[in-house]
């Protein structure tokens, strides 16, 4: 990362000169020709294309030129076939044979004149006909091969350039200035890279090659027509000229409408993105109808634009086709007249018509190319407006990489926002390392000054120096490594807890020899200016974290999470996480051991009946019908919920074993019972949670299904059950159940558990047949090669099941009081005795945080953001509201831990909302309006005791500067969360 996203040109300097550092020519990936990226994109699309693809363009154009002689020969062969073979002009003087395949080399007279290379064969009239026809077919195949190669080559060229363009745009996004970011919607920029450059990429391959290819083909065909007859050639040239003059003029309105359509589409995407980002506010304010109306209005305007485009487009197409069809009419009329007058042979007329048949397609494509060129230039200019140099930060250049220790001074620092100044002429100095508080007065000055120190905002006036050296003299990469920032709104990315915490350490590209990437893929990356570093790969800089490997890094992360108070939550994540035997072989083996020990301990305590284990030969009464049928965990959505009842292999096995009819009957009884229970209840009633077969919205659907069954039974009672009556009922739609109804009823009892729901629907005969069907289903899935189920095996870990389920390997008996508490206590004690808690907690680091961290609470996101900063061991840690989402107690604990560990080798700067804890900081700055006053120096407070620092919750310990050996040693002796805290989490 070249520099923080918050950097901005200072002192009115352009985006090419940032923070006193001259921008260097950009290097998009490894491309030495990508100098245009330093100031954005090249102003000219064609110059951009030529700069990055001239060698390929020249090569393909050379192949185009090489194909022209053969194309000309294919145009001339129809004339020879008609005149020489069919009409017999080659045999006019009474010759019974004629020469075929004479090869001559045409050279200037001064170079020796024409040379005969091959005298040819003597053939009769039929042989000449077949020979010329075969030559024509051969030339058609050769010309087709040329076209195939040219089209594939220019298509590949276009895709390479599209890949380059998208990567450059993404690289430029990483350099957006803060002002540009404030005025840019993420959804709009994503739309530009994803959609708007797509037609540009498609045009890039055609930019030079298509006019060269089609133009030379059209010129060759036109030259051939002129050779045969000048008047016909001039006539064709006149029609072509009209097409090239009139059609582009008519298409200018299309360009204007297309530009409006693109802008309207981009605004629509931006608005939809805003609504999605703020969907919670939409729901809480009941603004759904208003938002739908606004989007409908936008869609109406877009529809009108597209309709006008279609009308103009097809009107132009009609005129173009009309002009294209006029020429054959004139050829037949005027060419026929010349042929009747003897001024044109029949073969020449046929050849001219055949040549003109090949003329309109390239001409039409050339006109379309010109239209596409104008359209793409408009799109490129609109994309260019989003990436102008004045919106970009300068590129990082080599600079200082010294430790941030010494006298830090702000000299006339000011920050100007569009609404006015936020900071004005702030001048002060601080000794680093230090523990500094910035007390806010409720305005933005304190937060802004903290961001200036964190290099998230570059001042518009003044400068920040360290020991007299401007911080702009430091390399951007060095500052991002030495300064860490944690704000009130943590930014998390989809992935695991671990991925987000180590995000700041992903700055060490693996050596090129450490991966075995495909040489072809590397070559393509080189050609398109993309990075050649391996990905995915281990990019983590373990040295910056002070550890040796991934295991020690996990121990360090867990150490910080535990001290901050999130260790128990990560442990719970681990219980609900999945154990991959390949990634966690030791834990998988210990789980099998713990499973056996757990069963033995329950038996020894007389509690074996509290857990019904999974047994391949028995029906588990505490599990659902679906779980008993699959006897495993589905790994595909095709075998979950209603989809399980629709699965072809499952239905085949159910029909074969007779279970389908039983499940339909069970579904009928469940639906009738639920309709009776839920009739009149509101949708949020607790009974819907207890009987989770169907929701309130599904009640009318099942009511209609049962009504159809009642009508069928009434018809059978009235008309009898004979074959004709059954056919009649099926014909009028009164069959007992259609396929869709049967599927819905089969799906209903799949979630049924007899001890929980107690409707008396399952007997021993049904259980035996279901166990039998279980084996048949597993065999049928294996034979079909579908898979989709991770089956339970007493001697193996089920990788798709949660770790907790792997430990229990069964279901808790719901019919026994306090069964959950008893089983949980036994499991907790066993986990502690076997010292499995650290490994389970490590699995919790694989917990997915979701988009923007939505699967975590606000406090959990804040902890992740803070630990991400701490494990980097920064010289300067800046906190701007980072502790407020954690809650008062945890925030007090974390602050005590940070105050204990910072100030000796590392500096801490924290923005405080008031003076309540300001006396615990060594240096206090105070915001007043747009000014920062201070510092108020205080004596360094004594380090709080362990219990005092943690508020009696979490003992303080090694912090950012802790040696790796101490961290790894603690991991070896760690027993995980306290038993009392673990006990509540080992629940089924």
């Amino acid at each position: 990362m070249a520099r923080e996203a918050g950097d901005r040109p200072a002192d009115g300097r352009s985006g090419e000169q940032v923070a006193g550092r001259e921008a260097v020519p950009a290097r998009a990936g490894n491309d030495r020709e990508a100098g245009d990226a330093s100031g954005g994109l090249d102003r000219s699309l064609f110059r951009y294309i030529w700069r990055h693809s001239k060698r390929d363009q020249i090569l393909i154009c050379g192949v185009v030129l090489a194909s022209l002689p053969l194309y000309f020969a294919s145009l001339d062969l129809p004339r020879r076939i008609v005149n020489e073979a069919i009409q017999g002009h080659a045999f006019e003087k009474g010759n019974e044979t004629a020469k075929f395949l004479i090869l001559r080399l045409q050279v200037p007279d001064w170079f020796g004149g024409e040379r005969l290379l091959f005298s040819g064969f003597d053939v009769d009239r039929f042989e000449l006909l077949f020979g010329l026809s075969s030559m024509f077919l051969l030339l058609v195949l050769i010309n087709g091969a040329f076209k195939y190669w040219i089209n594939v080559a220019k298509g590949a060229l276009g895709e390479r350039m599209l890949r380059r363009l998208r990567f450059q745009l993404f690289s430029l996004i990483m350099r957006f200035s803060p002002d540009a970011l404030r005025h840019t919607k993420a959804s709009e920029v994503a739309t530009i890279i994803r959609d708007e450059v797509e037609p540009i990429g498609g045009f890039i391959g055609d930019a030079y090659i298509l006019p060269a290819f089609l133009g030379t083909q059209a010129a060759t065909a036109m030259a051939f027509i002129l050779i045969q007859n000048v008047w016909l050639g001039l006539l064709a040239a006149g029609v072509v000229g009209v097409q090239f003059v009139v059609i582009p003029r008519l298409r200018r309105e299309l360009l204007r409408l297309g530009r409006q359509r693109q802008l309207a589409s981009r605004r629509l995407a931006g608005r939809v993105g805003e609504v999605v980002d703020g969907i919670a506010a939409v729901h809480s304010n009941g603004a759904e109808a208003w938002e739908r109306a606004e989007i409908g209005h936008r869609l109406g305007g877009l529809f009108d634009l597209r309709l006008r485009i279609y009308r103009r487009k097809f009107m132009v197409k009609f005129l173009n086709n009309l002009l294209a069809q006029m020429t054959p009419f004139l050829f037949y009329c005027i060419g026929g007249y010349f042929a009747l007058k003897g001024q044109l042979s029949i073969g020449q007329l046929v050849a001219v018509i055949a040549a003109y048949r090949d003329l309109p397609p390239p001409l039409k494509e050339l006109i379309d190319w010109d239209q596409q060129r104008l359209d793409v230039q408009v799109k490129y200019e609109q994309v260019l407006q989003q990436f102008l140099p004045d919106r970009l930060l300068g590129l990082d250049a080599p600079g200082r990489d010294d430790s941030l220790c010494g006298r830090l001074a702000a000299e006339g620092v000011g920050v100007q926002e569009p609404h006015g100044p936020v900071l004005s002429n702030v001048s002060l100095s601080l000794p680093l390392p230090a523990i500094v508080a910035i007390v806010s007065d409720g305005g933005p000055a304190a937060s802004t000054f903290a961001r200036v120190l964190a290099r998230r905002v570059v001042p518009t006036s003044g400068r920040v120096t360290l020991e007299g050296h401007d911080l702009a003299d430091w390399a951007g990469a060095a500052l991002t490594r030495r300064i860490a920032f944690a704000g009130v709104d943590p930014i998390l990315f989809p992935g695991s807890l671990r991925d987000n915490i180590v995000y700041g350490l992903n700055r060490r590209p693996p050596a090129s020899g450490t991966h075995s990437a495909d040489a072809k893929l590397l070559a393509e990356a080189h050609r398109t200016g993309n990075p050649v570093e391996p990905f995915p790969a281990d990019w983590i800089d373990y040295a910056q974290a002070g550890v040796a490997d991934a295991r020690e890094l996990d121990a360090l992360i867990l150490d910080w999470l535990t001290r901050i108070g999130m260790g128990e939550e990560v442990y719970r994540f681990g219980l609900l996480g999945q154990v991959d035997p390949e990634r966690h072989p030791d834990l998988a083996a210990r789980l099998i051991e713990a499973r056996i020990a757990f069963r033995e301990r329950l038996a020894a305590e007389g509690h074996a009946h509290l857990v019904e284990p999974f047994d391949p030969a028995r029906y588990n009464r505490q599990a659902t019908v679906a779980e008993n049928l699959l006897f495993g965990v589905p790994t595909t959505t095709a075998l979950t919920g209603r989809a399980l009842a629709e699965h072809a292999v499952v239905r085949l096995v159910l029909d074969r074993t007779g279970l389908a009819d039983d499940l339909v009957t069970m579904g009928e009884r469940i639906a009738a019972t639920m309709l009776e229970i839920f009739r009149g209840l509101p949708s949020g009633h607790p009974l819907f949670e207890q009987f989770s077969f169907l929701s309130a919205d599904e009640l009318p659907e099942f009511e209609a299904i049962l009504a159809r069954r009642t009508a069928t039974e009434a018809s059978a009672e009235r008309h009898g059950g004979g074959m004709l009556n059954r056919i009649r009922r099926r014909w009028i739609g009164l069959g007992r159940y259609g396929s869709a109804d049967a599927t819905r009823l089969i799906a209903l009892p799949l979630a049924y558990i007899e001890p929980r729901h107690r409707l008396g629907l399952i007997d021993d005969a049904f259980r035996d047949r279901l166990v039998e069907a279980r084996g048949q289903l597993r065999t049928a899935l294996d034979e079909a090669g579908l898979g989709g189920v991770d089956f339970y095996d007493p001697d193996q870990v089920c990788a798709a099941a949660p770790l907790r389920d792997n430990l229990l390997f069964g279901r808790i008996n719901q019919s026994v009081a306090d069964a959950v508490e008893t089983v949980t206590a036994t499991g907790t004690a066993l986990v502690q005795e076997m010292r499995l808690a650290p490994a389970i907690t490590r699995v919790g680091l694989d917990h997915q945080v979701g988009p923007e961290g939505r699967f975590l609470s606000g406090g959990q996101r804040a902890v992740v953001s803070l630990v991400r900063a701490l494990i980097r061991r920064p010289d300067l840690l800046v906190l701007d509201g980072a502790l407020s989402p954690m809650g008062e107690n945890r925030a007090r604990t974390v602050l005590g831990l940070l105050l204990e560990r910072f100030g000796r080798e590392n500096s801490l700067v924290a923005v405080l909302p008031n003076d309540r804890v300001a006396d615990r900081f060594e240096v206090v700055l105070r915001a007043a309006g747009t000014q920062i006053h201070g510092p108020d120096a205080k004596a360094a407070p004594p380090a709080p005791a362990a219990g005092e620092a943690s508020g009696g919750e979490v003992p303080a310990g090694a912090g950012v500067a802790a040696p790796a050996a101490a961290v790894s040693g603690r991991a070896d002796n760690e027993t995980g969360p306290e038993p009392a805290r673990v006990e509540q989490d080992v629940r089924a």
Side-chain angles (χ1 to χ4, degrees), residues 740-872:
D741 289 352
T743 299
R744 294 295 286 125
L745 289 173
I746 290 174
L748 206 52
L750 292 178
Y752 181 78
I753 303 174
E754 182 65 55
R756 176 182 176 185
H757 302 117
R758 302 185 181 185
L759 299 180
L761 301 179
I762 296 180
D763 55 19
D764 291 338
F766 177 83
R767 296 187 184 96
D768 293 340
R769 280 188 292 131
L770 193 72
V771 171
E772 178 185 354
R774 172 192 298 171
Q776 295 185 25
L777 177 60
R778 181 167 186 171
T779 302
L781 289 174
D782 291 340
E783 291 176 351
L786 297 178
V789 181
D790 192 354
F791 296 101
Y792 291 130
D793 187 333
D795 299 323
Q796 299 290 334
V797 169
C798 181
L803 186 151
R804 179 186 58 189
D805 288 358
N806 272 288
L807 180 61
L808 290 177
F809 199 69
R811 290 290 181 264
I812 296 179
N813 192 338
Q814 301 288 336
S815 60
V816 178
D818 298 329
V820 174
E821 289 73 13
T822 303
V823 172
T824 299
T826 302
T828 300
L830 182 65
V831 166
Q832 293 296 324
E833 290 179 13
M834 296 187 66
R835 306 174 67 84
L836 290 176
I840 294 175
T841 310
R842 187 169 288 109
V843 173
L845 293 178
D846 294 327
H847 179 74
Q848 297 296 305
V849 304
E852 300 179 359
R854 294 174 186 171
F855 296 169
L856 302 179
S857 66
Q860 290 169 343
R861 289 195 294 270
V863 171
V864 171
S865 178
L866 179 60
V867 174
R868 177 166 62 193
L870 291 172
I871 64 170
R872 290 167 49 192

Side-chain angles (χ1 to χ4, degrees), residues 67 88 183 308 345 354 492 616 648 671 730 764:
S67 69
H183 293 86
R308 291 162 63 189
S345 68
L492 303 186
R730 189 176 296 111
D764 291 338

Side-chain angles (χ1 to χ4, degrees), residues 193-268:
I193 295 181
R194 184 190 62 200
D195 296 330
E196 294 190 17
V197 300
E198 186 78 26
I200 298 176
F203 174 77
I204 285 175
D206 295 334
Y208 290 98
I209 298 168
L210 192 68
F213 181 49
L214 298 177
T216 53
Q217 273 199 336
T220 302
M222 187 65 68
F224 179 80
I225 295 173
L226 285 169
I227 291 173
Q228 307 308 312
N229 187 278
V230 175
W231 295 109
L232 293 180
L234 293 176
L235 182 64
V239 175
V240 169
V242 172
Q243 284 180 286
F244 267 97
V245 172
V246 174
I247 300 301
R249 289 180 179 272
L250 294 176
R251 285 180 165 174
R252 289 178 181 173
E253 178 67 11
L254 277 177
L255 291 177
R256 188 183 67 82
L257 294 174
R259 185 182 301 111
Q260 294 181 12
R261 180 199 61 78
Q262 182 179 1
L263 292 175
S265 298
R266 185 186 298 173
R267 286 193 291 267
L268 174 66

